[in-house]
Amino acid sequence: MAGEEGALAVLLRALQGLTVKDFQEFKTKLSAVPMERGRNIPKDSLAKAAHPCALVSSMSSIYSQDTAMDIAIGLFQEMNQRDLAEKLLAEQEKGYKQEYREHVVQEFCCYKEVNARLGENLSISRRYTDLTIARKPWSKHRGEHEGVDTSHGCADAGNGAATVTVTAQTLLKPGEDGQTPQVVVLVGAPGMGKTMTVRKVMVGWVEGALYTQFDYIFRIDCKNIALTREASVVDLISTCCPHRRTPAGKILADQKKILFIFDGFEALGFSLVQPKDELSSNPWEVKPLETTLMSLLKKSVLPESSLLITTRPTALQSLGRCLEREYYAEILGFSAAMREEYFHRHLENANKADVAFRFTRGNKMLYSLCIIPVMSWIICTILEQELSKKKNLVECSKPITQMSVFYLSWLLRFRGGDNPRDLQRFLPRLCSLAADGIWKHKVLFEEADIKDHSLDQPDLLPLFLNEKISQKDHGNIYSFTHLHLQEFFAAMFYVLEDNEEMVSDLGALTKDINMLLETYSESRKDLNLTVRFLFGLVSQKSIEHVDKITGCRISRRAREDLLRWLQKRHRGIAHPGQALKVSDLNTLHFVFEMNDESCAQSALAGVTDVDLQDIQLTQYDQMALSFCIRQWGGLGRVALQGCSFQPQDPSEEPTVAESWSRRMSPSAGRAAPPHLPALPGAATPRQPPAGSPAVLVPVVPELLRGAGRAAGPSPQPGPAGAG
């Protein structure tokens, strides 16, 4: 171990300082060391070891370095040479501290992501991005208004003057009252960054940048100890140590310099109700695991040590009954600045990070979801893959629904139990709850709602819903992690196939997809995202993926209903004798979410025109338009009156004419087009000619040619406003 040579040097100096008589006494006692410590030094070797150097050499050849030091310390104590024993203990502890820090470096400084290539490890210091964390003194009666903020998708931390915004670096710093918290409970839904925050704490400590007031920080993975029946505090410490070896006596001598981190406390599933007379005050005493943990939480053992507990909201109520003077800290996710920083940390190429972040920010829904750290990771991972294959993101083809399905897949990696039938029964009920809430503008659900939908399953419920302690007597309050995720599950309610067993379990809500579509068309524009998810969920990819990860089937009849509604919608807008046209972006997004060529062709059959006016087309809008045009066999005219385009490259904002010229240059084998008006709002604007009716999207000329090959003769470039 690190420091071994230093420890043996101290032993040598200690032996050299002994009188001849004491040196002989040490050798005599050494020859009588009990055999259970290992093979003893042969007597002839001891006889030949007339000098301290030879004796140290003989000891190190027979015993491990740690055993040799332990034996020497014990013998010095028997000989009443306490000063020498203390020197060896101090050197041994110094060496152990270094060894433990090296162990922490190996365990925490690098980690492997779910989709990492073989042998690819990532640095916490380079990847970790600060989270917004709200810390406040614990209240046994937290209000239900501290639920989901539907505008941002995260818990509201603004209630109460005592709330303090902190980071991983300042979780255990003194609060505004000057008190340093001894117990902090860090709570967050799955994917909010609890474990990454713990890693940041461990790495900051071993690098000497954070929590230097502690000599030791022990991170205990609750999932790994959940099946342990009995343990002492020393046993728990040993699970964190290299080779499960620890000089516990020296470590525990100064309790104030120890921080215990219990990561993922909800995995233990304990009720945490323990009579006080059964609690332990001896860290070496072996007790049932629940009793040992309660002894630490109740401070009957190591009362001066500090605790940091991470948990999902489900464990808060039971924790609150056994903790005192603790602080509550809730992860609220990434702020706007943090989201941009995360993109740059994940996509280490600055240009790619700029492009990906600009693309994401151009989509309000996608950008809003990035407040959840794991959604930022999913989106960055997908966009990074697209950027490695394509020249720009407008040409990629990953709709929002697909990203949400990836999120569902990620969540289900953490489900307890191994019975797929449990999930197949649970998921439709969850979707029913989500849909019921969307219809009623409801984002907070009481325990009665949970029971009415038969969702009170401890292995599955915490994956999808946050739990908040309510002021009322109705039990706790529940909410989805983000409003958009509630809309996703609400859409799933309408497309999942029912089996006979489930029909009676889905509550009073009628599963009528046509009623939802008509209500959206007539009066409920807030259902737009739910409808968009509907189209995405009936794509072939979504059908296959949802079936694979959940065992639940998506109805193919739902796809027919959606296509029929979309075709009817086109015809309902057109006047008799007029060409059918698309005049709103929503239609393009609905088709794009399906991400299926045959469905797109069916949905757009008979429609010949695109006519959009006074819209800034974000990159995501352009992606939807691009996808539709590529599949649009009968498209004849694209008019974009007064429209502008969010540029693909943040360092360059080309005019439409410049973009068209690059795509249609003679070197590419095409004739250069006539002058086109400038893109409104471009970096170097030119005023369009008076009366100019429209501006063509830069990608349209090539796409029209591709569409024309499938539909008949290729249309030639015409004046602006015609295609």
Side-chain angles (χ1 to χ4, degrees), residues 10 14 69 82-92:
V10 172
M69 291 295 289
R82 300 192 181 280
D83 289 346
L84 295 180
E86 287 296 325
K87 285 182 180 179
L88 291 188
L89 278 170
E91 188 61 35
Q92 190 181 42

Side-chain angles (χ1 to χ4, degrees), residues 626-678:
S626 173
F627 173 81
C628 291
I629 289 177
R630 289 180 190 278
Q631 321 306 329
W632 209 325
L635 180 62
R637 180 177 181 274
V638 178
L640 306 175
Q641 174 69 43
C643 293
S644 60
F645 302 90
Q646 183 189 70
Q648 299 164 18
D649 185 344
S651 64
E652 181 181 7
E653 298 191 7
T655 63
V656 170
E658 290 166 347
S659 297
W660 190 315
S661 295
R662 284 200 295 270
R663 291 176 174 270
M664 304 289 286
S665 63
S667 63
R670 302 183 180 94
H675 169 74
L676 291 174

Side-chain angles (χ1 to χ4, degrees), residues 29 47 102 104 143 151 180 192 207 285 441 542 553 647 679 682-683 717:
K29 289 182 178 295
E102 290 173 359
V104 170
S151 62
T180 300
M192 290 302 287
E207 291 177 346
E285 184 178 15
H441 301 283
S542 294
R553 295 184 179 277
L679 173 66

Side-chain angles (χ1 to χ4, degrees), residues 294-489:
M294 280 291 291
S295 300
L296 276 168
L297 298 178
K298 288 285 192 181
K299 294 295 183 181
S300 69
V301 64
L302 304 181
E304 295 182 319
S305 63
S306 295
L307 299 176
L308 173 60
I309 303 166
T310 77
T311 183
R312 295 176 190 165
T314 46
L316 285 180
Q317 194 166 21
S318 58
L319 271 172
R321 289 196 294 263
C322 60
L323 295 175
E324 295 179 2
R325 298 176 61 85
E326 78 277 18
Y327 279 74
Y328 166 86
E330 183 173 11
I331 298 180
L332 306 182
F334 286 145
S335 67
M338 292 167 184
R339 274 171 263 185
E340 184 171 9
E341 179 185 339
Y342 182 86
F343 271 66
H344 280 268
R345 285 179 178 269
H346 188 104
L347 289 81
E348 295 180 352
N349 179 295
N351 289 334
K352 285 186 177 181
D354 285 337
V355 170
F357 183 72
R358 191 179 184 90
F359 171 81
T360 304
R361 191 173 56 187
N363 184 305
K364 290 182 180 179
M365 181 260 186
L366 209 60
Y367 184 63
S368 175
L369 280 173
C370 281
I371 200 169
I372 305 172
V374 74
M375 285 301 298
S376 284
W377 171 73
I378 289 171
I379 291 166
C380 280
T381 300
I382 291 172
L383 296 185
E384 185 177 32
Q385 292 170 352
E386 294 299 330
L387 285 168
S388 68
K389 295 185 296 185
K390 306 286 185 179
K391 292 182 180 180
N392 59 69
L393 291 178
V394 173
E395 296 177 9
C396 81
S397 57
K398 288 290 188 294
I400 293 171
T401 307
Q402 254 181 277
M403 298 186 185
S404 301
V405 172
F406 291 156
Y407 173 74
L408 174 61
S409 176
W410 180 89
L411 274 182
L412 293 179
R413 289 173 52 238
F414 301 99
R415 74 177 186 267
D418 55 359
N419 186 353
R421 292 290 296 160
D422 289 343
L423 177 63
Q424 291 163 21
R425 286 190 290 264
F426 179 88
L427 191 59
R429 297 166 182 163
L430 177 80
C431 295
S432 174
L433 177 76
D436 189 54
I438 292 300
W439 278 108
K440 298 175 181 177
H441 301 283
K442 184 176 180 179
V443 296
L444 297 176
F445 304 94
E446 296 180 350
E447 283 194 1
D449 299 313
I450 301 301
K451 291 177 180 177
D452 287 346
H453 288 80
S454 303
L455 291 172
D456 43 349
Q457 297 185 34
D459 287 340
L460 291 169
L461 185 65
L463 296 179
F464 303 96
L465 296 178
N466 284 332
E467 181 180 356
K468 305 281 184 180
I469 298 174
S470 173
Q471 285 181 332
K472 299 181 179 180
D473 297 328
H474 303 157
N476 294 343
I477 298 296
Y478 299 82
S479 64
F480 287 85
T481 307
H482 195 289
L483 173 61
H484 293 334
L485 296 176
Q486 182 179 343
E487 292 169 310
F488 170 74
F489 287 112

Side-chain angles (χ1 to χ4, degrees), residues 401-637:
T401 307
Q402 254 181 277
M403 298 186 185
S404 301
V405 172
F406 291 156
Y407 173 74
L408 174 61
S409 176
W410 180 89
L411 274 182
L412 293 179
R413 289 173 52 238
F414 301 99
R415 74 177 186 267
D418 55 359
N419 186 353
R421 292 290 296 160
D422 289 343
L423 177 63
Q424 291 163 21
R425 286 190 290 264
F426 179 88
L427 191 59
R429 297 166 182 163
L430 177 80
C431 295
S432 174
L433 177 76
D436 189 54
I438 292 300
W439 278 108
K440 298 175 181 177
H441 301 283
K442 184 176 180 179
V443 296
L444 297 176
F445 304 94
E446 296 180 350
E447 283 194 1
D449 299 313
I450 301 301
K451 291 177 180 177
D452 287 346
H453 288 80
S454 303
L455 291 172
D456 43 349
Q457 297 185 34
D459 287 340
L460 291 169
L461 185 65
L463 296 179
F464 303 96
L465 296 178
N466 284 332
E467 181 180 356
K468 305 281 184 180
I469 298 174
S470 173
Q471 285 181 332
K472 299 181 179 180
D473 297 328
H474 303 157
N476 294 343
I477 298 296
Y478 299 82
S479 64
F480 287 85
T481 307
H482 195 289
L483 173 61
H484 293 334
L485 296 176
Q486 182 179 343
E487 292 169 310
F488 170 74
F489 287 112
M492 192 175 285
F493 169 75
Y494 286 94
V495 298
L496 286 180
E497 285 186 352
D498 293 332
N499 55 47
E500 294 181 3
E501 178 185 354
M502 287 302 306
V503 171
S504 61
D505 289 342
L506 297 182
L509 189 62
T510 303
K511 183 180 285 193
D512 186 340
I513 196 170
N514 291 302
M515 182 182 73
L516 172 67
L517 295 170
E518 292 305 318
T519 304
Y520 162 68
S521 296
E522 293 171 3
S523 59
R524 288 286 301 273
K525 299 307 177 187
D526 60 296
L527 296 174
N528 176 269
L529 191 53
T530 304
V531 173
R532 192 187 295 190
F533 278 132
L534 284 176
F535 280 90
L537 284 167
V538 299
S539 74
Q540 188 60 37
K541 286 183 179 179
S542 294
I543 290 173
E544 293 172 359
H545 202 173
V546 170
D547 186 11
K548 179 180 178 181
I549 64 177
T550 70
C552 298
R553 295 184 179 277
I554 290 178
S555 168
R556 296 184 182 273
R557 180 180 175 182
R559 179 195 294 182
E560 298 171 4
D561 290 337
L562 288 166
L563 288 174
R564 192 180 303 110
W565 173 77
L566 201 56
Q567 292 164 346
K568 179 182 176 183
R569 193 167 186 244
H570 300 148
R571 291 174 175 81
I573 295 174
H575 295 292
Q578 282 188 332
L580 296 181
K581 65 181 179 180
V582 171
S583 57
D584 71 304
L585 278 173
N586 289 327
T587 296
L588 302 177
H589 281 295
F590 295 155
V591 174
F592 174 60
E593 285 299 319
M594 299 180 83
N595 205 34
D596 182 283
E597 293 183 13
S598 61
C599 286
Q601 291 164 5
S602 176
L604 299 170
V607 182
T608 59
D609 292 11
V610 174
D611 187 1
L612 302 177
Q613 297 185 20
D614 301 320
I615 300 173
Q616 183 188 38
L617 294 162
T618 68
Q619 288 189 33
Y620 199 77
D621 296 333
Q622 294 175 54
M623 190 165 72
L625 178 59
S626 173
F627 173 81
C628 291
I629 289 177
R630 289 180 190 278
Q631 321 306 329
W632 209 325
L635 180 62
R637 180 177 181 274

